[in-house]
Amino acid sequence: MSFAAFAANHAVKVGGSGLIFTPASLTIAAGDTVTFTNAGGFHNVVADDGSFRCADNCTGTGGNANSSAWSSQVVYNTAGTFGYYCEIHGGPGAGMHGSITVEAAPPPPPPPAPTTIGGYLSGNWYNQTQSGSGFQLEVTSNANQMVAIWFVFAPGGGSQWIYAQGTYDPTSSTITMPAALVQNGKFPFPASNYVASDIQKAAWGTLTFTFSDCNTGVASWNSTVTGYGSGSIPITRLTQIAGTVCP
């Protein structure tokens, strides 16, 4: 019998003030332990169903009745009512007899529902092992649009912006958006450096965000551009927009 984590240990006195168990009946939870201790007299403890026979211990001759101050433990993992007795002074349901009622353990609570997409997810997100790159997310109420900019590095080196935008479902925790590379622009000072026609936006693939809660999620990508491939990384929130509150 295995001891369940965080289970309780209940005490039952055997004899001492008469041919009784104290308490004679006990209600416990599945996984709990009962410690039977001889408080005085020539006794042992035997299960009505024959599943244990205990005194100095619960194996072999260790279960024989004796008058020492023995103590033995039994773990009850199955729900139901289980009788026990001293084979010198009782029998199943008679004489020096007691019972344990084992209540089934409650089912574990369901896992929390993933966080659905909304404005409270706006802010900066990153992977803690990859400082220097990350995502800026903006979730708008205007037509349920989400914008993501991935500040990252090109496969061959150098900074790279990957821009994604798409429509989100406010009942979902996941969004997949088409993404594009924004490149070939120049620092716009002096103003003559900025030539609008130089800036190119080329299809790159898709970005997918899945949020488990307001502060953690996973970013996945699938690129059609050589060198980027596909993959996923866990992300955590770095900043939050003032005034936004996670539901």
Side-chain angles (χ1 to χ4, degrees):
M1 298 183 181
S2 61
F3 188 89
F6 307 113
N9 191 336
H10 306 269
V12 172
K13 290 198 307 180
V14 181
S17 57
L19 301 180
I20 60 173
F21 293 98
T22 308
S25 62
L26 183 65
T27 298
I28 65 175
D32 284 0
T33 297
V34 176
T35 299
F36 295 97
T37 301
N38 189 8
F42 194 84
H43 306 296
N44 67 353
V45 183
V46 182
D48 283 4
D49 62 7
S51 59
F52 65 82
R53 181 174 181 272
C54 302
D56 291 323
N57 55 60
C58 298
T59 60
T61 59
N64 291 344
N66 66 79
S67 58
S68 68
W70 54 259
S71 181
S72 290
Q73 292 186 328
V74 177
V75 179
Y76 288 83
N77 288 315
T78 305
T81 298
F82 304 93
Y84 59 89
Y85 61 95
C86 169
E87 66 182 347
I88 305 301
H89 303 105
M96 188 174 174
H97 182 269
S99 66
I100 305 288
T101 299
V102 183
E103 296 181 333
T115 296
T116 56
I117 297 173
Y120 37 80
L121 297 176
S122 297
N124 291 285
W125 296 67
Y126 79 128
N127 180 277
Q128 293 177 319
T129 67
Q130 297 181 0
S131 180
S133 64
F135 301 89
Q136 185 176 76
L137 306 182
E138 184 173 346
V139 184
T140 75
S141 58
N142 181 20
N144 289 352
Q145 290 293 297
M146 179 173 173
V147 174
I149 302 173
W150 190 2
F151 300 101
V152 70
F153 304 101
S159 298
Q160 184 75 74
W161 288 14
I162 299 172
Y163 175 89
Q165 182 175 348
T167 302
Y168 67 88
D169 177 355
T171 67
S172 175
S173 61
T174 298
I175 181 173
T176 297
M177 301 175 286
L181 284 173
V182 181
Q183 53 192 357
N184 293 340
K186 297 178 181 177
F187 185 65
F189 301 97
S192 58
N193 277 359
Y194 179 79
V195 179
S197 59
D198 287 346
I199 301 174
Q200 297 180 0
K201 184 185 293 186
W204 179 83
T206 59
L207 277 177
T208 298
F209 295 92
T210 301
F211 299 96
S212 52
D213 56 47
C214 285
N215 296 301
T216 60
V218 174
S220 305
W221 69 94
N222 188 7
S223 179
T224 57
V225 177
T226 301
Y228 292 90
S230 60
S232 63
I233 54 172
I235 56 174
T236 58
R237 179 190 293 279
L238 186 62
T239 66
Q240 184 168 352
I241 306 299
T244 60
V245 178
C246 184

